[in-house]
């Protein structure tokens, strides 16, 4: 991993996506627990994003949904950013 990676898991919409999300959460979550340069964000953990009125076409988020996603992801991005010393 270079400077840092954030893996974002979308909210699964069916059983196959839930199974894949669960596998990724297990594998990536274990790796993220051992490496501070890797963070995992599971959007399923964000109750506000389960509101279907945020979706434009049944799948894609509109502006408010994207704002909520950004709010969920931003802390993980900040966490994996390398600390630069002032010169």
């Amino acid at each position: 991993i270079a400077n840092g990676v954030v893996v974002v898991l979308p909210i699964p919409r069916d059983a196959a996506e839930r199974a894949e999300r669960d596998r990724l959460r297990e594998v990536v979550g274990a790796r993220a627990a051992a490496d501070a340069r890797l963070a995992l964000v599971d959007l399923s953990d964000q109750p506000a994003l389960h509101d279907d009125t945020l979706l434009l076409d049944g799948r894609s988020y509109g502006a408010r949904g994207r704002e909520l996603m950004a709010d969920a992801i931003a802390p993980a991005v900040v966490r994996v950013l390398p600390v630069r010393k002032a010169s």
Side-chain angles (χ1 to χ4, degrees):
I1 297 174
N3 289 326
V5 174
V6 176
V7 176
V8 180
L9 302 178
I11 297 173
R13 300 293 175 192
D14 59 34
E17 287 183 5
R18 272 190 295 283
E20 183 65 19
R21 187 265 331 259
D22 291 345
R23 282 190 295 275
L24 286 168
R25 190 173 180 156
E26 182 179 337
V27 172
V28 177
R31 176 99 187 254
D35 190 338
R37 298 171 299 162
L38 177 62
L40 175 65
V41 177
D42 186 346
L43 295 179
S44 295
D45 295 337
Q46 304 300 316
L49 288 172
H50 291 268
D51 180 356
D52 287 341
T53 64
L54 297 171
L55 302 173
L56 297 174
D57 57 3
R59 188 100 177 141
S60 303
Y61 286 101
R64 178 67 180 139
R66 290 173 190 259
E67 178 184 10
L68 292 169
M69 284 193 304
D71 289 346
I73 297 166
V77 172
V78 170
R79 223 174 24 251
V80 301
L81 288 174
V83 177
R84 300 198 189 267
K85 296 185 182 195
S87 45

